[in-house]
Amino acid sequence: MSPNVQLSNRDNSNSFYSEFDLKKKIGEGSFSEVWLCVQRSNGREYAAKMLKKNYGYTVDADTWNAVAEVNVSNSLEKHPFLLMLKSAYHEKENGKIILISELMKKSLYDIIENGECPLSEYRIKTYMYQILEGLRYLHENGFIHRDIKPENILLRSQDKILKIGDFGTTCHAINDLQYLEYVATRWYRSPECLLTRGWYNSKMDIWATGCVLYEIATGYPLFDGRDESDQIEKVDQVLGSPDQRLTKKFKKHKSDVFIERYEMNKQNERTAGVGLHSVYQPYRPAYELIKDMIVYDPSKRFSANRLLRKPYFYEIKNTEYEYKMREFEKLLSNKSIVNLSKIDQKSKTTISRQYSIIKKQGPDGDHIHNLETHSINAEIFDRLSADISKKIDQPPKLDKKKSNLHNILRSKTNKKISITIPESENICHGIQRQNTHNICSKDNTKDISLSKKMLTESVSTLSKVKNVGNKFVNRPPFK
């Protein structure tokens, strides 16, 4: 896939500051600041994310690819529910990288802080649909977001359309690979992130989404631990302590939280848990979703694709949200067809320059023939046929010991002769397998001439010898 992000290593005369005007800071995190900026050429507003790390005077392709936001935007198509980058700049003076994206003026965090929660059931449904569709596309393409929280769910169009943003901690999902231990924000961190040293997968995003669902449906966080130990304690109070099988699974890659909870404090009894249905009752919005998202064991936690197939989302059909996904899937399909046509064209060019291998079934099993060899055999057969045609008027006497081209059957009741005539294609196949059967040897040339004569006279002969004693004579295979 060609890069989707315009990368710029420009001098001071043509830099980010020459194209954009900074207006105000609209957000700040541990590794970056987000500013509202205006493009001078058209007056449009954008969000400029300035990374705090100093990348030096020059930035090569590997450095650009190491920036998670750039990597994700270049690896994926522009999804309707993912906030992709528009361009990226490197300022040589201070070594900073600046990432430009669409401006989203509000997030779910702002809605929660403004006291708008709990949201209506339909609004929760549309938000969950968009979040899960974005995560499904990420996960199917091998990415884990690792920081799903209300602050990173951004809103526009009168808070109807949302996009998942901030791919600063996003990584590729690789089996049996240990990731960073502390990534997701504590309140939205899954049990496997708390109890292991970085042994998790894309299901951690599903847990975090379940926590976000609870928060916009109630206005309060589900697990608001003061630290990692308190966080896992609150999880156990609701879901109960993990069973022995799951505990052994976590123990293989145990974290400091696991050691403190299950090894150092052995007097700590296992908690039964009150159950999710006690803190989020089944009559509440999207209960059938959250019960399969807030699950202790990640292997039993539903994937985004599986959650989207639930009847809960039937109401989304034929809405603007589904139309957006239809258009996106149509775009992906068209690009796939174009890519396949290019691959097919290259394949045809390659095949035309190479010898094709064909496979034929014979009496001795499968034989692989090269088309070049096949064409040579055809020329030999043509020359032999020409020679045989000259001598066909003087056929040699049939040697029963050497001939393998016919079988003479004499009936006990009468003196009619039944001649089994081999098929012409069997003769050709026999000639092609000359190394195995020596059909084209001097001894067998006589047999071929006889067979050709019999072929020319087969019409009149077959009508007389087709049946012997009212039984059909099966032709034996050519050997």
Side-chain angles (χ1 to χ4, degrees), residues 221-394:
L222 179 55
F223 306 115
D224 54 348
R226 299 182 304 274
D227 51 39
E228 282 72 25
S229 296
D230 188 49
Q231 185 71 19
I232 198 66
E233 174 68 28
K234 290 183 180 296
V235 172
D236 288 356
Q237 287 175 0
V238 175
L239 301 182
S241 300
D243 56 30
Q244 194 172 10
R245 179 194 62 83
L246 189 57
T247 303
K248 288 181 179 179
K249 186 178 178 180
F250 290 152
K251 189 176 182 180
K252 294 179 182 178
H253 315 289
K254 56 187 177 183
S255 65
D256 294 338
V257 177
F258 183 95
I259 295 172
E260 179 184 350
R261 183 165 183 78
Y262 297 109
E263 293 185 357
M264 293 180 63
N265 188 9
K266 293 185 178 180
Q267 295 180 353
N268 186 13
E269 297 182 357
R270 294 186 175 275
T271 307
V274 297
L276 181 64
H277 63 277
S278 298
V279 295
Y280 194 81
Q281 293 73 23
Y283 63 81
R284 288 181 176 272
Y287 178 79
E288 65 174 292
L289 279 189
I290 198 171
K291 69 182 179 63
D292 293 318
M293 302 168 81
I294 304 300
V295 179
Y296 217 117
D297 188 347
S299 64
K300 297 180 180 180
R301 203 177 302 150
F302 277 29
S303 65
N305 186 46
R306 192 174 177 186
L307 290 167
L308 285 165
R309 295 201 303 266
K310 280 180 169 285
Y312 174 77
F313 288 112
Y314 284 173
E315 194 178 355
I316 298 296
K317 287 188 176 182
N318 299 321
T319 62
E320 60 177 315
Y321 310 106
E322 190 190 35
Y323 291 150
K324 285 181 178 292
M325 284 306 304
R326 285 182 187 176
E327 289 297 321
F328 177 70
E329 289 169 358
K330 184 178 179 181
L331 172 67
L332 290 182
S333 177
N334 292 338
K335 289 198 173 185
S336 299
I337 292 172
V338 171
N339 292 336
L340 285 173
S341 64
K342 290 181 180 178
I343 293 171
D344 185 56
Q345 188 175 5
K346 290 181 181 179
S347 300
K348 288 180 179 178
T349 305
T350 304
I351 290 173
S352 65
R353 296 176 182 175
Q354 298 176 349
Y355 291 116
S356 299
I357 302 301
I358 59 174
K359 188 177 184 180
K360 293 195 174 183
Q361 180 73 29
D364 297 330
D366 294 339
H367 295 276
I368 301 299
H369 298 276
N370 191 284
L371 284 181
E372 183 184 33
T373 306
H374 177 73
S375 62
I376 294 171
N377 288 338
E379 292 176 4
I380 294 172
F381 180 72
D382 291 339
R383 289 198 301 269
L384 287 172
S385 300
D387 295 338
I388 291 168
S389 298
K390 294 178 181 178
K391 300 179 181 180
I392 196 166
D393 296 332
Q394 300 176 356

Side-chain angles (χ1 to χ4, degrees), residues 107-159:
S107 69
L108 284 183
Y109 176 80
D110 298 319
I111 289 179
I112 296 170
E113 287 295 299
N114 292 339
E116 298 180 39
C117 296
L119 302 179
S120 67
E121 183 172 359
Y122 183 74
R123 193 173 174 186
I124 292 173
K125 184 176 296 187
T126 59
Y127 283 176
M128 285 297 107
Y129 176 79
Q130 295 175 80
I131 294 172
L132 290 173
E133 281 288 5
L135 288 179
R136 180 171 71 92
Y137 184 60
L138 272 179
H139 296 167
E140 287 179 352
N141 284 275
F143 287 99
I144 310 174
H145 188 281
R146 301 200 296 182
D147 199 16
I148 296 294
K149 58 183 178 181
E151 292 91 326
N152 292 335
I153 309 298
L154 308 171
L155 303 170
R156 68 173 179 84
S157 300
Q158 299 179 344
D159 302 341

